[in-house]
């Protein structure tokens, strides 16, 4: 039976041969997290990835603990990164158990998020909101906010992820380069056991050269 798996590929600016996977869907409840991970990583081709990002729906500390437990305990070597919004990230226990090969990403970061949230304990990367990156490409004030955000993330040693904005002008601002950029959906539907076929390379957005990549998603 076919199932919907909107998977996208992350490309590294510092190491073009490295890639991650992104499950581009609504936040996943902790009770369904293990099943979602297994669905994506069941195929052999997916194991070439360094990490997998999944948005998580967590409304309580119990949900966060369950999500970490559901993502951990794997022996495939792929880092599973739980993408949490600001409210959920604040629910991470002071001493989370079972992190192992599980990472936490602060998700949906835009100009309204206080910079102090970037230092939330155990967060090791941030994912910028796509609309914020688009505004920063054309609006001076939004661009200044993104400049400040990127300087802070690099000072904190955090990796940065996001979609490259549309660039109708043909101009690029290297100051806004991210460590990882994501391409379009590469798998629309998939029967478990089938091989995952990525989109042609020409359709994938090339990663920019980052000035000071984060240390989290290094090549294996």
């Amino acid at each position: 039976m076919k199932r919907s798996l909107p998977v996208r590929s992350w490309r590294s600016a510092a190491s073009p041969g490295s890639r991650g996977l992104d499950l581009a869907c609504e936040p996943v409840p902790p009770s369904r997290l293990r099943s979602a991970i297994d669905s994506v990583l069941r195929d052999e081709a997916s194991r070439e990835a360094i990490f997998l990002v999944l948005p998580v729906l967590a409304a309580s500390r119990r949900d966060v603990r369950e999500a970490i437990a559901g993502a951990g305990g794997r022996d495939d070597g792929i880092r599973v990164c739980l993408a949490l919004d600001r409210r959920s990230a604040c629910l991470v226990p002071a001493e989370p158990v079972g992190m192992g090969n599980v990472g936490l990403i602060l998700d949906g970061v835009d100009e309204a998020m206080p910079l102090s949230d970037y230092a939330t304990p155990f967060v090791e990367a941030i994912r910028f909101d796509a609309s914020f990156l688009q505004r920063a490409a054309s609006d001076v004030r939004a661009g200044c906010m993104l400049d400040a955000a990127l300087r802070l993330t690099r000072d904190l040693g955090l990796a940065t992820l996001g979609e490259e904005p549309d660039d109708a002008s043909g101009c690029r601002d290297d100051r806004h380069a991210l460590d990882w950029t994501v391409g379009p959906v590469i798998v629309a539907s998939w029967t478990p056991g089938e091989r995952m076929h990525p989109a042609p390379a020409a359709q994938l957005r090339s990663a920019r050269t980052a000035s000071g990549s984060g240390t989290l998603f290094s090549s294996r």
Side-chain angles (χ1 to χ4, degrees):
M1 186 175 87
K2 293 282 185 181
R3 64 180 66 183
S4 176
L5 283 177
V7 180
R8 301 185 298 181
S9 180
W10 291 102
R11 298 294 178 180
S12 168
S15 179
S18 300
R19 75 178 182 115
L21 296 176
D22 180 77
L23 187 57
C25 64
E26 293 297 314
V28 180
S31 60
R32 293 176 49 204
L33 197 63
R34 174 68 74 173
S35 175
I37 294 170
D38 289 343
S39 294
V40 177
L41 300 184
R42 183 178 287 113
D43 187 81
E44 182 179 352
S46 70
R47 293 168 193 158
E48 299 172 359
I50 297 172
F51 63 91
L52 167 66
V53 176
L54 300 96
V56 176
L57 181 64
S60 66
R61 292 188 185 277
R62 179 178 179 180
D63 287 344
V64 173
R65 288 194 295 267
E66 185 179 352
I68 293 173
R74 306 186 63 85
D75 58 4
D76 48 30
I78 295 176
R79 190 168 188 80
V80 176
C81 302
L82 307 179
L84 304 173
D85 62 18
R86 181 189 183 194
R87 184 173 59 86
S88 298
C90 293
L91 298 174
V92 176
E95 296 183 2
V97 177
M99 292 293 286
N101 208 26
V102 178
L104 300 181
I105 294 177
L106 185 61
D107 204 8
V109 174
D110 61 14
E111 63 267 55
M113 185 173 289
L115 294 179
S116 59
D117 285 0
Y118 293 23
T120 299
F122 303 105
V123 166
E124 49 196 11
I126 66 171
R127 175 160 58 177
F128 288 106
D129 179 77
S131 62
F132 172 42
L133 294 177
Q134 189 64 51
R135 288 191 297 275
S138 58
D139 180 79
V140 173
R141 292 191 176 188
C144 289
M145 292 296 294
L146 181 57
D147 289 344
L150 289 172
R151 286 197 300 270
L152 180 57
T153 58
R154 287 160 186 161
D155 287 345
L156 292 172
L158 305 177
T160 54
L161 303 89
E163 296 184 35
E164 282 194 331
D166 296 334
D167 186 28
S169 67
C171 297
R172 297 287 185 185
D173 190 337
D174 290 339
R175 295 175 303 170
H176 296 170
L178 304 177
D179 297 318
W180 294 85
T181 52
V182 70
V185 173
I186 59 174
V187 177
S189 62
W190 176 52
T191 300
E194 285 185 345
R195 188 168 184 80
M196 295 170 64
H197 297 286
Q203 295 181 11
L204 298 174
R205 300 179 183 182
S206 59
R208 301 184 226 173
T209 301
S211 56
S213 299
T215 58
L216 170 62
F217 305 125
S218 58
S219 301
R220 291 187 298 192

